């Protein structure tokens, strides 16, 4: 492996998968043509050092945090990272290498601390995806703190957030009488498409959604999906012709999420913006009407 990396000067694309014996990966400076690097499921990996000068597309997927050591001049165009805690890690440690990023995707099953306020902006970021899909996401995590990432991206065109939780323990907005938090943010005039998957009645999710609507003048389409989005779960696509039954407590939360949309989101959606609310199939599920 080491010899390959030091001798294949013309290497442009590299994918490393399930290499479980590697603890430290060094991508040397002499790989002057290397543009794409993907590192997936290398379970012992702790450190990745990248000195290849024109690497612009990077993907990493792992079950635990990896330490990234990046050449100062290195600038990514497309950057995908998945491990627990990656949102706060990227916002704290990788800003200088993400200044020119156009597509950023962060996937985390757990965040210990809220997303920090960013000292600089992602001026070129057009596509942002944050996937926090988990069985139960830490109930102390404030989804509203993601506005720091959103407001630091003035060129944003599409935003996809996945906040799906099978068992939601966050404070619900239903029957909460306190006001929604409102922080003035950057006025987005390029953002057209926003999709929130796993929309729930978690108060900080509703606040985040309202912040996005109120600070986006260019919005064309807002999708709020309250389902699990699993294709096998739908009677339209599986063999049995019946949806896989969702758990009763999940369906109760779906009902609360739909109520939160009707109460807090719908009245704020401007005329001309297409609002798509996705809910579990009514043919196979009894959705409790909440009011
Ligand atoms: Zn169905």
């Amino acid at each position: 492996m080491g010899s390959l990396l030091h001798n294949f000067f013309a290497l442009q694309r590299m994918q490393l998968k399930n290499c479980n014996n590697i603890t430290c990966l060094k991508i040397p400076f002499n790989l002057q043509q290397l543009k794409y690097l993907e590192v997936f499921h290398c379970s012992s990996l702790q450190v990745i050092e990248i000195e290849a000068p024109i690497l612009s597309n990077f993907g990493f997927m792992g079950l635990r945090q990896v330490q990234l050591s990046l050449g100062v001049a290195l600038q990514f165009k497309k950057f995908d990272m998945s491990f627990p805690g990656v949102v706060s890690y990227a916002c704290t440690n990788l800003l200088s290498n993400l200044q020119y990023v156009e597509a950023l995707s962060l996937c985390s099953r757990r965040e210990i601390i809220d997303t920090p306020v960013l000292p600089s902006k992602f001026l070129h970021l057009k596509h942002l995806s944050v996937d926090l899909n988990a069985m139960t996401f830490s109930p102390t995590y404030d989804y509203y703190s993601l506005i720091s990432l959103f407001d630091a991206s003035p060129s944003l065109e599409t935003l996809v957030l996945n906040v799906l939780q099978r068992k939601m323990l966050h404070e619900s907005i239903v029957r909460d009488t306190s006001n929604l938090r409102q922080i003035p943010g950057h006025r987005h005039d390029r953002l057209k498409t926003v999709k929130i998957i796993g929309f729930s009645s978690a108060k900080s999710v509703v606040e985040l959604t309202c912040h996005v609507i109120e600070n986006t003048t260019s919005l064309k389409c807002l999708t709020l999906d309250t389902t699990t989005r699993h294709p096998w779960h739908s009677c339209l696509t599986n063999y049995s012709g019946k949806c896989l039954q969702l758990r009763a407590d999940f369906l109760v939360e779906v009902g609360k999420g739909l109520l939160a949309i009707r109460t807090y989101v719908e009245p704020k959606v401007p005329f001309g913006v297409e609002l798509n609310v996705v809910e579990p199939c009514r043919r196979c599920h009894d959705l409790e009407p909440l009011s």
Side-chain angles (χ1 to χ4, degrees):
M1 177 83 186
S3 129
L4 182 142
L5 290 180
H6 279 93
N7 292 301
F8 280 18
F9 302 110
L11 199 64
Q12 291 186 4
R13 185 184 285 263
M14 182 165 126
Q15 189 185 70
L16 216 61
K17 222 170 168 180
N18 300 316
C19 298
N20 294 330
N21 294 325
I22 299 176
T23 54
C24 176
L25 176 66
K26 291 185 182 180
I27 306 293
F29 186 76
N30 62 322
L31 292 185
Q32 306 249 336
Q33 311 285 323
L34 189 69
K35 285 185 185 157
Y36 303 87
L37 174 65
E38 290 176 331
V39 182
F40 296 152
H41 308 300
C42 300
S43 59
S44 308
L45 199 58
Q46 293 168 15
V47 179
I48 301 178
E49 287 178 28
I50 303 175
E51 288 171 5
I54 64 158
L55 187 76
S56 57
N57 288 248
F58 178 70
F60 174 85
M61 206 182 279
L63 293 177
R64 60 180 184 177
Q65 182 174 323
V66 73
Q67 207 63 40
L68 271 187
S69 167
L70 305 169
V72 194
L74 197 58
Q75 289 297 342
F76 296 105
K77 286 264 165 63
K78 187 174 183 303
F79 192 87
D80 297 354
M81 249 196 152
S82 170
F83 62 75
V86 71
V87 178
S88 55
Y89 179 82
C91 290
T92 311
N93 298 293
L94 303 175
L95 287 177
S96 60
N97 294 104
L98 295 176
Q99 278 181 43
Y100 295 95
V101 75
E102 292 173 9
L104 176 65
S105 169
L106 301 172
C107 175
S108 171
R109 300 281 169 265
R110 189 176 67 242
E111 292 288 318
I112 306 288
I113 54 168
D114 291 341
T115 305
V117 174
L118 305 182
S120 60
K121 286 186 185 290
F122 303 114
L123 290 174
H124 304 269
L125 184 58
K126 293 185 177 130
H127 310 288
L128 172 63
S129 164
V130 180
D131 183 344
L132 305 177
N133 168 17
M135 186 57 85
T136 292
F137 205 78
S138 167
T140 55
Y141 180 76
D142 184 3
Y143 291 111
Y144 194 56
S145 68
L146 285 169
I147 63 172
S148 64
L149 196 52
F150 173 68
D151 284 346
S153 314
S155 306
L156 211 56
E157 293 174 8
T158 56
L159 171 67
V160 179
L161 293 177
N162 188 337
V163 291
L164 176 66
Q165 299 189 61
R166 302 306 171 108
K167 190 166 176 54
M168 202 282 282
L169 298 180
H170 279 75
E171 183 195 350
S172 170
I173 199 163
V174 173
R175 297 193 180 90
D176 181 319
T177 50
S178 60
N179 291 331
L180 297 185
R181 284 173 290 174
Q182 275 183 316
I183 300 174
H186 172 82
R187 304 294 290 181
H188 287 260
D189 56 7
R190 294 181 195 181
L191 181 62
K192 291 184 176 62
T193 310
V194 175
K195 191 176 215 181
I196 301 182
I197 299 155
F199 186 90
S200 71
S201 72
K203 189 177 179 190
S204 57
V205 167
V206 177
E207 289 171 323
L208 177 67
T209 309
C210 291
H211 179 91
V212 170
I213 296 170
E214 286 168 342
N215 290 286
T216 306
T217 53
S218 48
L219 194 61
K220 291 252 186 305
C221 180
L222 171 67
T223 301
L224 302 177
D225 187 341
T226 62
T227 72
T228 59
R229 255 184 110 240
H230 199 301
W232 296 350
H233 290 186
S234 167
C235 58
L236 298 175
T237 45
N238 70 19
Y239 293 111
S240 71
K242 281 207 85 177
C243 288
L244 208 73
Q245 279 300 302
L246 294 161
R247 284 167 45 143
D249 54 350
F250 184 83
L251 283 174
V252 170
E253 185 44 53
V254 167
K256 288 183 184 173
L258 294 171
L259 178 62
I261 292 171
R262 279 201 304 277
T263 314
Y264 297 98
V265 180
E266 271 180 12
K268 291 197 167 74
V269 176
F271 181 74
V273 174
E274 182 188 340
L275 173 66
N276 297 315
V277 178
V278 184
E279 54 181 48
C281 144
R282 298 238 175 201
R283 198 162 69 96
C284 304
H285 297 101
D286 287 330
L287 277 172
E288 295 273 330
L290 280 170
S291 56

mmCIF file with all atom_site columns, all heavy atoms in Angstrom, residues 233-236 241-244 280-285, ligand 1:
data_model
loop_
_atom_site.group_PDB
_atom_site.id
_atom_site.type_symbol
_atom_site.label_atom_id
_atom_site.label_alt_id
_atom_site.label_comp_id
_atom_site.label_asym_id
_atom_site.label_entity_id
_atom_site.label_seq_id
_atom_site.pdbx_PDB_ins_code
_atom_site.Cartn_x
_atom_site.Cartn_y
_atom_site.Cartn_z
_atom_site.occupancy
_atom_site.B_iso_or_equiv
_atom_site.pdbx_formal_charge
_atom_site.auth_seq_id
_atom_site.auth_comp_id
_atom_site.auth_asym_id
_atom_site.auth_atom_id
_atom_site.pdbx_PDB_model_num
ATOM   1   N  N   . HIS A 1 233 ? -40.989 -0.187 3.365  1.00 0.00 ? 233 HIS A N   1
ATOM   2   C  CA  . HIS A 1 233 ? -42.089 0.034  4.294  1.00 0.00 ? 233 HIS A CA  1
ATOM   3   C  C   . HIS A 1 233 ? -43.393 0.378  3.586  1.00 0.00 ? 233 HIS A C   1
ATOM   4   O  O   . HIS A 1 233 ? -44.433 0.413  4.200  1.00 0.00 ? 233 HIS A O   1
ATOM   5   C  CB  . HIS A 1 233 ? -41.735 1.166  5.280  1.00 0.00 ? 233 HIS A CB  1
ATOM   6   C  CG  . HIS A 1 233 ? -40.671 0.773  6.257  1.00 0.00 ? 233 HIS A CG  1
ATOM   7   N  ND1 . HIS A 1 233 ? -40.279 1.576  7.305  1.00 0.00 ? 233 HIS A ND1 1
ATOM   8   C  CD2 . HIS A 1 233 ? -39.911 -0.355 6.345  1.00 0.00 ? 233 HIS A CD2 1
ATOM   9   C  CE1 . HIS A 1 233 ? -39.331 0.958  7.993  1.00 0.00 ? 233 HIS A CE1 1
ATOM   10  N  NE2 . HIS A 1 233 ? -39.086 -0.201 7.423  1.00 0.00 ? 233 HIS A NE2 1
ATOM   11  N  N   . SER A 1 234 ? -43.318 0.660  2.297  1.00 0.00 ? 234 SER A N   1
ATOM   12  C  CA  . SER A 1 234 ? -44.512 1.142  1.608  1.00 0.00 ? 234 SER A CA  1
ATOM   13  C  C   . SER A 1 234 ? -45.236 0.021  0.861  1.00 0.00 ? 234 SER A C   1
ATOM   14  O  O   . SER A 1 234 ? -44.612 -0.819 0.198  1.00 0.00 ? 234 SER A O   1
ATOM   15  C  CB  . SER A 1 234 ? -44.112 2.239  0.620  1.00 0.00 ? 234 SER A CB  1
ATOM   16  O  OG  . SER A 1 234 ? -45.189 2.490  -0.243 1.00 0.00 ? 234 SER A OG  1
ATOM   17  N  N   . CYS A 1 235 ? -46.572 0.042  0.947  1.00 0.00 ? 235 CYS A N   1
ATOM   18  C  CA  . CYS A 1 235 ? -47.354 -0.977 0.239  1.00 0.00 ? 235 CYS A CA  1
ATOM   19  C  C   . CYS A 1 235 ? -47.271 -0.803 -1.273 1.00 0.00 ? 235 CYS A C   1
ATOM   20  O  O   . CYS A 1 235 ? -47.611 -1.709 -2.029 1.00 0.00 ? 235 CYS A O   1
ATOM   21  C  CB  . CYS A 1 235 ? -48.801 -0.931 0.720  1.00 0.00 ? 235 CYS A CB  1
ATOM   22  S  SG  . CYS A 1 235 ? -49.592 0.671  0.499  1.00 0.00 ? 235 CYS A SG  1
ATOM   23  N  N   . LEU A 1 236 ? -46.808 0.332  -1.730 1.00 0.00 ? 236 LEU A N   1
ATOM   24  C  CA  . LEU A 1 236 ? -46.689 0.564  -3.168 1.00 0.00 ? 236 LEU A CA  1
ATOM   25  C  C   . LEU A 1 236 ? -45.470 -0.156 -3.734 1.00 0.00 ? 236 LEU A C   1
ATOM   26  O  O   . LEU A 1 236 ? -45.416 -0.452 -4.928 1.00 0.00 ? 236 LEU A O   1
ATOM   27  C  CB  . LEU A 1 236 ? -46.571 2.061  -3.453 1.00 0.00 ? 236 LEU A CB  1
ATOM   28  C  CG  . LEU A 1 236 ? -47.766 2.909  -3.031 1.00 0.00 ? 236 LEU A CG  1
ATOM   29  C  CD1 . LEU A 1 236 ? -47.471 4.373  -3.249 1.00 0.00 ? 236 LEU A CD1 1
ATOM   30  C  CD2 . LEU A 1 236 ? -48.998 2.492  -3.815 1.00 0.00 ? 236 LEU A CD2 1
ATOM   31  N  N   . GLY A 1 241 ? -47.962 -6.015 -0.461 1.00 0.00 ? 241 GLY A N   1
ATOM   32  C  CA  . GLY A 1 241 ? -49.058 -5.099 -0.766 1.00 0.00 ? 241 GLY A CA  1
ATOM   33  C  C   . GLY A 1 241 ? -49.582 -4.380 0.465  1.00 0.00 ? 241 GLY A C   1
ATOM   34  O  O   . GLY A 1 241 ? -50.588 -3.677 0.399  1.00 0.00 ? 241 GLY A O   1
ATOM   35  N  N   . LYS A 1 242 ? -48.906 -4.578 1.610  1.00 0.00 ? 242 LYS A N   1
ATOM   36  C  CA  . LYS A 1 242 ? -49.273 -3.849 2.827  1.00 0.00 ? 242 LYS A CA  1
ATOM   37  C  C   . LYS A 1 242 ? -48.031 -3.144 3.362  1.00 0.00 ? 242 LYS A C   1
ATOM   38  O  O   . LYS A 1 242 ? -46.925 -3.684 3.305  1.00 0.00 ? 242 LYS A O   1
ATOM   39  C  CB  . LYS A 1 242 ? -49.797 -4.799 3.916  1.00 0.00 ? 242 LYS A CB  1
ATOM   40  C  CG  . LYS A 1 242 ? -51.237 -5.230 3.714  1.00 0.00 ? 242 LYS A CG  1
ATOM   41  C  CD  . LYS A 1 242 ? -51.893 -5.581 5.047  1.00 0.00 ? 242 LYS A CD  1
ATOM   42  C  CE  . LYS A 1 242 ? -52.438 -4.340 5.736  1.00 0.00 ? 242 LYS A CE  1
ATOM   43  N  NZ  . LYS A 1 242 ? -53.150 -4.593 6.978  1.00 0.00 ? 242 LYS A NZ  1
ATOM   44  N  N   . CYS A 1 243 ? -48.223 -1.957 3.902  1.00 0.00 ? 243 CYS A N   1
ATOM   45  C  CA  . CYS A 1 243 ? -47.084 -1.255 4.487  1.00 0.00 ? 243 CYS A CA  1
ATOM   46  C  C   . CYS A 1 243 ? -46.586 -2.022 5.706  1.00 0.00 ? 243 CYS A C   1
ATOM   47  O  O   . CYS A 1 243 ? -47.376 -2.626 6.432  1.00 0.00 ? 243 CYS A O   1
ATOM   48  C  CB  . CYS A 1 243 ? -47.493 0.132  4.963  1.00 0.00 ? 243 CYS A CB  1
ATOM   49  S  SG  . CYS A 1 243 ? -47.798 1.293  3.643  1.00 0.00 ? 243 CYS A SG  1
ATOM   50  N  N   . LEU A 1 244 ? -45.283 -1.986 5.918  1.00 0.00 ? 244 LEU A N   1
ATOM   51  C  CA  . LEU A 1 244 ? -44.733 -2.525 7.157  1.00 0.00 ? 244 LEU A CA  1
ATOM   52  C  C   . LEU A 1 244 ? -45.268 -1.645 8.289  1.00 0.00 ? 244 LEU A C   1
ATOM   53  O  O   . LEU A 1 244 ? -45.182 -0.422 8.210  1.00 0.00 ? 244 LEU A O   1
ATOM   54  C  CB  . LEU A 1 244 ? -43.201 -2.417 7.099  1.00 0.00 ? 244 LEU A CB  1
ATOM   55  C  CG  . LEU A 1 244 ? -42.437 -3.443 7.906  1.00 0.00 ? 244 LEU A CG  1
ATOM   56  C  CD1 . LEU A 1 244 ? -42.516 -4.795 7.210  1.00 0.00 ? 244 LEU A CD1 1
ATOM   57  C  CD2 . LEU A 1 244 ? -40.985 -3.024 8.032  1.00 0.00 ? 244 LEU A CD2 1
ATOM   58  N  N   . PRO A 1 280 ? -47.351 8.922  6.593  1.00 0.00 ? 280 PRO A N   1
ATOM   59  C  CA  . PRO A 1 280 ? -47.505 7.480  6.348  1.00 0.00 ? 280 PRO A CA  1
ATOM   60  C  C   . PRO A 1 280 ? -48.814 7.206  5.612  1.00 0.00 ? 280 PRO A C   1
ATOM   61  O  O   . PRO A 1 280 ? -49.780 7.957  5.739  1.00 0.00 ? 280 PRO A O   1
ATOM   62  C  CB  . PRO A 1 280 ? -47.547 6.876  7.750  1.00 0.00 ? 280 PRO A CB  1
ATOM   63  C  CG  . PRO A 1 280 ? -46.893 7.874  8.636  1.00 0.00 ? 280 PRO A CG  1
ATOM   64  C  CD  . PRO A 1 280 ? -47.211 9.209  8.036  1.00 0.00 ? 280 PRO A CD  1
ATOM   65  N  N   . CYS A 1 281 ? -48.830 6.101  4.847  1.00 0.00 ? 281 CYS A N   1
ATOM   66  C  CA  . CYS A 1 281 ? -49.990 5.760  4.037  1.00 0.00 ? 281 CYS A CA  1
ATOM   67  C  C   . CYS A 1 281 ? -51.217 5.551  4.930  1.00 0.00 ? 281 CYS A C   1
ATOM   68  O  O   . CYS A 1 281 ? -51.172 4.782  5.893  1.00 0.00 ? 281 CYS A O   1
ATOM   69  C  CB  . CYS A 1 281 ? -49.612 4.529  3.222  1.00 0.00 ? 281 CYS A CB  1
ATOM   70  S  SG  . CYS A 1 281 ? -50.873 3.341  2.944  1.00 0.00 ? 281 CYS A SG  1
ATOM   71  N  N   . ARG A 1 282 ? -52.293 6.235  4.598  1.00 0.00 ? 282 ARG A N   1
ATOM   72  C  CA  . ARG A 1 282 ? -53.508 6.181  5.443  1.00 0.00 ? 282 ARG A CA  1
ATOM   73  C  C   . ARG A 1 282 ? -54.284 4.875  5.215  1.00 0.00 ? 282 ARG A C   1
ATOM   74  O  O   . ARG A 1 282 ? -55.138 4.518  6.005  1.00 0.00 ? 282 ARG A O   1
ATOM   75  C  CB  . ARG A 1 282 ? -54.417 7.367  5.116  1.00 0.00 ? 282 ARG A CB  1
ATOM   76  C  CG  . ARG A 1 282 ? -53.750 8.703  5.412  1.00 0.00 ? 282 ARG A CG  1
ATOM   77  C  CD  . ARG A 1 282 ? -54.551 9.517  6.402  1.00 0.00 ? 282 ARG A CD  1
ATOM   78  N  NE  . ARG A 1 282 ? -53.854 10.746 6.768  1.00 0.00 ? 282 ARG A NE  1
ATOM   79  C  CZ  . ARG A 1 282 ? -54.111 11.422 7.875  1.00 0.00 ? 282 ARG A CZ  1
ATOM   80  N  NH1 . ARG A 1 282 ? -55.031 11.015 8.716  1.00 0.00 ? 282 ARG A NH1 1
ATOM   81  N  NH2 . ARG A 1 282 ? -53.444 12.529 8.146  1.00 0.00 ? 282 ARG A NH2 1
ATOM   82  N  N   . ARG A 1 283 ? -54.004 4.192  4.106  1.00 0.00 ? 283 ARG A N   1
ATOM   83  C  CA  . ARG A 1 283 ? -54.689 2.931  3.817  1.00 0.00 ? 283 ARG A CA  1
ATOM   84  C  C   . ARG A 1 283 ? -54.285 1.867  4.840  1.00 0.00 ? 283 ARG A C   1
ATOM   85  O  O   . ARG A 1 283 ? -55.078 1.026  5.227  1.00 0.00 ? 283 ARG A O   1
ATOM   86  C  CB  . ARG A 1 283 ? -54.295 2.481  2.403  1.00 0.00 ? 283 ARG A CB  1
ATOM   87  C  CG  . ARG A 1 283 ? -55.198 1.449  1.776  1.00 0.00 ? 283 ARG A CG  1
ATOM   88  C  CD  . ARG A 1 283 ? -54.980 1.418  0.275  1.00 0.00 ? 283 ARG A CD  1
ATOM   89  N  NE  . ARG A 1 283 ? -53.666 0.888  -0.086 1.00 0.00 ? 283 ARG A NE  1
ATOM   90  C  CZ  . ARG A 1 283 ? -53.439 -0.373 -0.415 1.00 0.00 ? 283 ARG A CZ  1
ATOM   91  N  NH1 . ARG A 1 283 ? -54.424 -1.241 -0.441 1.00 0.00 ? 283 ARG A NH1 1
ATOM   92  N  NH2 . ARG A 1 283 ? -52.229 -0.777 -0.737 1.00 0.00 ? 283 ARG A NH2 1
ATOM   93  N  N   . CYS A 1 284 ? -53.014 1.907  5.285  1.00 0.00 ? 284 CYS A N   1
ATOM   94  C  CA  . CYS A 1 284 ? -52.498 0.864  6.170  1.00 0.00 ? 284 CYS A CA  1
ATOM   95  C  C   . CYS A 1 284 ? -52.327 1.327  7.616  1.00 0.00 ? 284 CYS A C   1
ATOM   96  O  O   . CYS A 1 284 ? -52.067 0.511  8.487  1.00 0.00 ? 284 CYS A O   1
ATOM   97  C  CB  . CYS A 1 284 ? -51.154 0.353  5.659  1.00 0.00 ? 284 CYS A CB  1
ATOM   98  S  SG  . CYS A 1 284 ? -51.188 -0.244 3.973  1.00 0.00 ? 284 CYS A SG  1
ATOM   99  N  N   . HIS A 1 285 ? -52.401 2.624  7.871  1.00 0.00 ? 285 HIS A N   1
ATOM   100 C  CA  . HIS A 1 285 ? -52.166 3.108  9.241  1.00 0.00 ? 285 HIS A CA  1
ATOM   101 C  C   . HIS A 1 285 ? -53.321 3.964  9.721  1.00 0.00 ? 285 HIS A C   1
ATOM   102 O  O   . HIS A 1 285 ? -53.880 4.741  8.952  1.00 0.00 ? 285 HIS A O   1
ATOM   103 C  CB  . HIS A 1 285 ? -50.885 3.951  9.306  1.00 0.00 ? 285 HIS A CB  1
ATOM   104 C  CG  . HIS A 1 285 ? -49.655 3.195  8.978  1.00 0.00 ? 285 HIS A CG  1
ATOM   105 N  ND1 . HIS A 1 285 ? -49.050 3.269  7.747  1.00 0.00 ? 285 HIS A ND1 1
ATOM   106 C  CD2 . HIS A 1 285 ? -48.922 2.313  9.701  1.00 0.00 ? 285 HIS A CD2 1
ATOM   107 C  CE1 . HIS A 1 285 ? -47.994 2.477  7.732  1.00 0.00 ? 285 HIS A CE1 1
ATOM   108 N  NE2 . HIS A 1 285 ? -47.895 1.879  8.900  1.00 0.00 ? 285 HIS A NE2 1
HETATM 109 ZN ZN1 . LIG B 2 .   ? -49.904 1.345  2.740  1.00 0.00 ? 1   LIG B ZN1 1
#
